[in-house]
């Protein structure tokens, strides 16, 4: 058996990281300077080769778990130490989920646990926990709905949501309102946002990759034009486009196909009427917070519907994960 190491936790920084070693565990223990026999199933705190202090646990003869603090540098150094000891790093996608999760009762449970480690959204958790039972008891001939699969997978990888619109309509004010702090500069001046800002935000249980873009206008400013070009690419990749409008602003220099048209500045007279005329899905005030809850619900429903969440059918796991570690004959 080839000895491999796999990070079971996401590659971003976290409180702790979990590294699983499969194969010749003594190689890893030696590289980390951990002496003495470890008793299987009994976790203990050890110095990890001078890199960090962490928990090590031998699950069985072939499986060792090392849990350092989750900082990026600690992960890098541990990884280098493993590589120097001849232990190759494997991507979780290429490893059979059953070997990543020996505690799982069957393959469905292993797939569910591995998907859970990657899930970004709180709404994924209860749903994932129900999946092994749903797969086991599915009726013969069941075929997953590809649309539902695509939408539910947005609970695992944050979908791209772009706020766009004419200059000065309040895009950055909305971005800051949704993020809950100032990440974008707001000002009563066209062209305030010259570059796009981005952040992960929980919108009604779905974590999204939210982007605030510069107002769509013709500009002689080289930096702003570059940012508008990048925004155009993001608009093409977006899974939800919020077109923000507001009274008394100049129209955008070009049209885009939006998922949701939203009128801002509802605190100003006549805005509600304008929203109806323009066929907006909702009317908000990014400045006061009015209507934001309704907007969050609309965006969430655009990405993952109530039907998707309530349907009792099993949810197809990531096909790459589903086939990882399986030979053609197993499938
Ligand atoms: N009355 C009112 N003013 C708002 C509201 N939202 C934003 N504003 C104001 O509108 C102006 C423009 O806001 P921004 O958020 O900078 O607008 P933007 O769309 O990001 O502008 P650019 O980045 O220049 O395209 C600022 O003076 C904000 O305070 C709102 O809900 N009501
Ligand atoms: Mg702006």
């Amino acid at each position: 058996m080839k000895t491999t190491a796999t990070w079971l936790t996401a590659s971003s920084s976290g409180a702790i990281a979990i590294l699983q070693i499969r194969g010749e565990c003594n190689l890893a223990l030696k590289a980390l300077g951990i002496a003495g026999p470890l008793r299987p199933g009994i976790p203990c705190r050890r110095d990890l080769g001078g890199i960090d202090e962490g928990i090590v646990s031998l699950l069985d003869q072939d499986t060792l778990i090392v849990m350092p603090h989750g900082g990026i540098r600690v992960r890098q150094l541990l990884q280098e130490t493993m590589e120097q000891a001849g232990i190759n790093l494997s991507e979780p996608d290429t490893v059979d989920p059953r070997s990543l999760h020996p505690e799982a009762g069957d393959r469905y449970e292993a797939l569910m646990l591995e998907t859970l480690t990657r899930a970004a959204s709180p709404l994924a958790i209860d749903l994932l926990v129900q999946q092994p039972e749903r797969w086991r008891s599915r009726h013969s001939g069941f075929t997953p709905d590809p649309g539902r699969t695509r939408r539910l997978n947005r609970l695992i990888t944050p979908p791209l949501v772009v706020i766009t619109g004419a200059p000065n309509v309040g895009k950055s004010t909305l971005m800051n309102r949704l993020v809950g702090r100032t990440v974008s500069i707001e000002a009563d001046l066209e062209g305030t946002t010259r570059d796009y800002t981005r952040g992960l935000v929980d919108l009604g249980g779905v974590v999204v990759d939210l982007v605030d873009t510069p107002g769509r206008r013709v500009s002689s400013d080289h930096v702003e034009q570059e940012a508008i070009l990048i925004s155009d690419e993001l608009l093409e990749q977006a899974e939800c486009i919020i077109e923000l409008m507001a009274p008394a602003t100049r129209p955008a220099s070009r049209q885009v196909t939006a998922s949701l048209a939203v009128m801002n500045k509802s605190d100003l007279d006549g805005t509600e009427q304008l929203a109806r005329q323009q066929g907006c899905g909702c009317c908000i005030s990014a400045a006061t917070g009015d209507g934001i809850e309704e907007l969050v619900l609309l965006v969430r429903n655009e990405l993952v519907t109530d039907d998707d969440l309530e349907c009792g059918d099993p949810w197809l796991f990531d096909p790459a994960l589903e086939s990882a570690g399986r030979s053609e004959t197993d499938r």
Side-chain angles (χ1 to χ4, degrees):
M1 182 183 198
K2 208 171 98 196
T3 306
T4 56
T6 314
W7 288 110
L8 300 186
T9 38
S11 56
S12 52
S13 191
I16 58 154
I18 306 175
L19 183 67
Q20 185 200 63
I21 290 107
R22 295 270 297 161
E24 188 55 62
C25 297
N26 281 333
L27 275 180
L29 290 171
K30 205 168 147 211
L32 294 171
I34 298 172
L38 292 181
R39 279 196 290 152
I42 312 282
C44 51
R45 193 181 170 134
R46 291 291 158 89
D47 177 82
L48 306 175
I51 299 167
D52 192 16
E53 250 193 33
I55 307 291
V56 284
S57 177
L58 197 61
L59 295 188
D60 57 41
Q61 282 298 88
D62 306 320
T63 317
L64 174 72
I65 296 288
V66 179
M67 286 183 272
H69 292 98
I72 288 169
R73 189 64 186 139
V74 166
R75 290 171 59 109
Q76 268 173 356
L77 290 171
L78 269 180
Q79 207 163 306
E80 281 166 24
T81 306
M82 292 300 114
E83 279 163 353
Q84 279 158 15
I87 301 171
N88 290 326
L89 260 289
S90 308
E91 289 299 321
D93 272 358
T94 63
V95 180
D96 185 337
R98 289 220 66 178
S99 77
L100 291 175
H101 298 279
E103 72 279 24
D106 62 14
R107 191 170 173 85
Y108 295 124
E109 230 173 87
L111 279 164
M112 179 274 287
L113 288 171
E114 185 49 28
T115 310
L116 203 54
T117 66
R118 301 156 180 227
S121 292
L123 275 179
I125 298 167
D126 282 353
L127 212 55
L128 280 171
V129 169
Q130 294 160 8
Q131 296 311 308
E133 190 42 45
R134 288 186 183 181
W135 275 107
R136 283 181 215 118
S137 57
R138 73 190 182 282
H139 57 79
S140 63
F142 165 76
T143 42
D145 165 5
R148 177 173 179 259
T149 299
R150 185 172 44 82
R151 291 187 297 274
L152 285 181
N153 282 334
R154 292 174 174 156
L155 300 177
I156 309 302
T157 310
L160 184 65
V161 176
V162 177
I163 307 172
T164 184
N168 240 5
V169 291
K171 298 179 293 300
S172 300
T173 312
L174 176 60
M175 174 80 182
N176 293 338
R177 167 73 55 188
L178 292 174
V179 173
R181 64 193 162 87
T182 303
V183 290
S184 252
I185 300 168
E186 317 162 5
D188 193 8
L189 195 71
E190 288 189 3
T192 299
T193 305
R194 291 168 79 228
D195 197 355
Y196 69 90
T197 46
R198 199 165 184 159
L200 289 179
V201 188
D202 180 339
L203 296 184
V206 180
V207 173
V208 308
D209 183 3
L210 188 67
V211 182
D212 170 30
T213 56
R216 298 198 308 277
R217 65 173 193 153
V218 177
S219 159
S220 54
D221 181 306
H222 172 68
V223 176
E224 191 180 347
Q225 275 312 314
E226 279 285 307
I228 290 173
L229 278 180
I230 296 174
S231 308
D232 286 349
E233 282 167 29
L234 290 170
L235 283 169
E236 272 172 32
Q237 296 158 15
E239 294 186 68
C240 176
I241 297 175
I242 303 172
E243 170 81 23
L244 200 62
M245 303 178 200
T249 49
R250 286 201 288 151
S253 59
R254 106 181 155 78
Q255 297 303 306
V256 298
T257 309
S259 323
L260 281 174
V262 177
M263 185 62 71
N264 189 29
K265 310 196 184 182
S266 64
D267 51 300
L268 300 181
D269 285 345
T271 311
E272 302 258 352
Q273 197 189 348
L274 189 65
R276 279 193 296 277
Q277 281 166 7
Q278 299 284 338
C280 291
C282 73
C283 191
I284 61 161
S285 171
T288 67
D290 224 50
I292 295 293
E293 271 180 38
E294 191 194 343
L295 171 63
V296 165
L297 212 62
L298 283 175
V299 176
R300 204 277 279 145
N301 213 48
E302 188 65 32
L303 295 166
V304 183
T305 66
D306 287 338
D307 284 352
D308 292 331
L309 297 170
E310 283 156 19
C311 169
D313 285 345
W315 165 9
L316 190 69
F317 298 108
D318 174 1
L321 195 62
E322 168 63 36
S323 55
R326 280 182 145 191
S327 67
E328 282 304 322
T329 46
D330 292 336
R331 287 174 208 163

